[in-house]
Amino acid sequence: MTGEARIDIADVSVFFPLYHASSRSLKKTVVAAASGRLGKDRQSRVVVQALRDISFTLTSGDRLGLVGVNGAGKTTLLRTLAGIYEPVSGRVRVQGNLTTMLDPNLGMNIELTGRENIQLRGLYDGLDRATLAALQADVADFAGLGDFIDLPVRTYSSGMVVRLAFAMATAIRPQILLMDEWFMVGDAEFMEKAKARLEGMVRGAEILVLSTHMVEVVRSWCTRVLWIDQGRIREDGPPDEVLAHYLGESLHHPEVAVS
């Protein structure tokens, strides 16, 4: 690793064009129209303004929680930080090696076996042969998939995919960790086993960006909270202060999640 981790986001906006032929786009159109997030891009296409004028900086030691109702833009922001979505305007600069826990299937080739997927992850991270062998042993042991580790991932149940994805994502300590709340999904026995490993990874990361509706997790892990509302930053500050305002909103608007 070279240098301290850092994230700089300046005036970032992300728009998604609407293609009316699909039912998914129709749903997006209705939701976006209701929230005032429809607009037009430079090609005069109708777009959903998923993120609008987002700016913040994170440095080593920062633990950022993202809160907001479903569809507010939290996951879009995480995917933009990960380089999956490209802003239509603004600048994203990420310094430091990065691990994403955004989707169990992200970066997974379902036609390959579990073991082959582990090998690919290690090769992508530039591991030498000895370290790669240790990674395979660690992930296979922690995921607890038995003989399924040598079968194609497409034969796995959803719970098995989560186990493999979690074990791979937490096997290598990154400088920057981006997390969506799928990491809390899984059978109770596995999640109890996973808790210490996950908390160790969170402590070891220089920067954490976490999106979740689990308020106690935000309070425990985060030093700063962004409240995202209709694609914009509504509030940015200490967890107790921002959460008090966010949860207070739920008294008037029950759709605000407080689980």
Side-chain angles (χ1 to χ4, degrees):
M1 297 180 187
T2 57
E4 285 196 343
R6 183 180 179 92
I7 295 175
D8 284 298
I9 305 297
D11 301 316
V12 165
S13 294
V14 174
F15 298 166
F16 297 129
L18 286 175
Y19 301 101
H20 299 281
S22 72
S23 59
R24 182 178 179 185
S25 292
L26 178 60
K27 181 180 178 183
K28 276 186 178 180
T29 304
V30 172
V31 172
S35 61
R37 291 164 71 183
L38 283 183
K40 288 191 176 182
D41 64 10
R42 294 186 182 96
Q43 288 78 45
S44 295
R45 295 176 299 182
V46 176
V47 295
V48 175
Q49 300 170 337
L51 294 177
R52 297 183 279 186
D53 306 316
I54 302 292
S55 297
F56 61 86
T57 296
L58 299 174
T59 57
S60 184
D62 285 338
R63 301 282 187 270
L64 180 67
L66 305 177
V67 299
V69 299
N70 290 334
K74 304 183 302 297
T75 297
T76 299
L77 178 54
L78 285 174
R79 287 173 175 260
T80 303
L81 292 175
I84 299 168
Y85 295 153
E86 185 175 351
V88 296
S89 62
R91 185 188 72 241
V92 178
R93 289 183 179 171
V94 177
Q95 178 180 309
N97 83 21
L98 180 149
T99 285
T100 63
M101 298 177 69
L102 307 183
D103 182 329
N105 296 306
L106 194 63
M108 193 94 69
N109 187 328
I110 64 170
E111 298 301 324
L112 299 181
T113 68
R115 192 178 304 278
E116 288 167 340
N117 272 286
I118 300 168
Q119 290 173 340
L120 278 180
R121 176 65 60 89
L123 291 171
Y124 177 80
D125 288 322
L127 303 184
D128 58 40
R129 183 173 297 181
T131 307
L132 182 56
L135 175 72
Q136 287 187 65
D138 173 66
V139 172
D141 177 66
F142 191 84
L145 300 177
D147 292 339
F148 276 92
I149 198 71
D150 292 306
L151 293 177
V153 171
R154 60 178 163 74
T155 66
Y156 291 12
S157 68
S158 58
M160 293 166 72
V161 172
V162 168
R163 284 174 176 244
L164 178 61
F166 182 94
M168 285 200 298
T170 54
I172 299 173
R173 297 292 174 92
Q175 287 178 287
I176 300 170
L177 178 58
L178 308 179
M179 300 176 68
D180 213 340
E181 60 188 354
W182 74 265
F183 65 89
M184 291 297 186
V185 176
D187 61 81
E189 182 181 352
F190 179 73
M191 290 317 298
E192 187 61 34
K193 173 183 172 183
K195 187 177 179 182
R197 183 173 170 115
L198 182 61
E199 289 180 344
M201 187 180 185
V202 168
R203 285 194 300 272
E206 291 183 40
I207 293 175
L208 169 71
V209 185
L210 164 69
S211 169
T212 180
H213 291 299
M214 299 176 184
V215 171
E216 290 310 313
V217 171
V218 175
R219 285 198 174 108
S220 298
W221 290 0
C222 298
T223 58
R224 176 181 173 188
V225 171
L226 288 187
W227 176 3
I228 308 295
D229 184 30
Q230 297 186 18
R232 297 185 186 275
I233 296 176
R234 180 159 172 179
E235 190 169 353
D236 176 1
D240 286 343
E241 182 178 310
V242 177
L243 287 172
H245 297 155
Y246 171 63
L247 296 176
E249 181 90 352
S250 69
L251 298 177
H252 306 288
H253 301 281
E255 72 275 10
V256 174
V258 295
S259 59

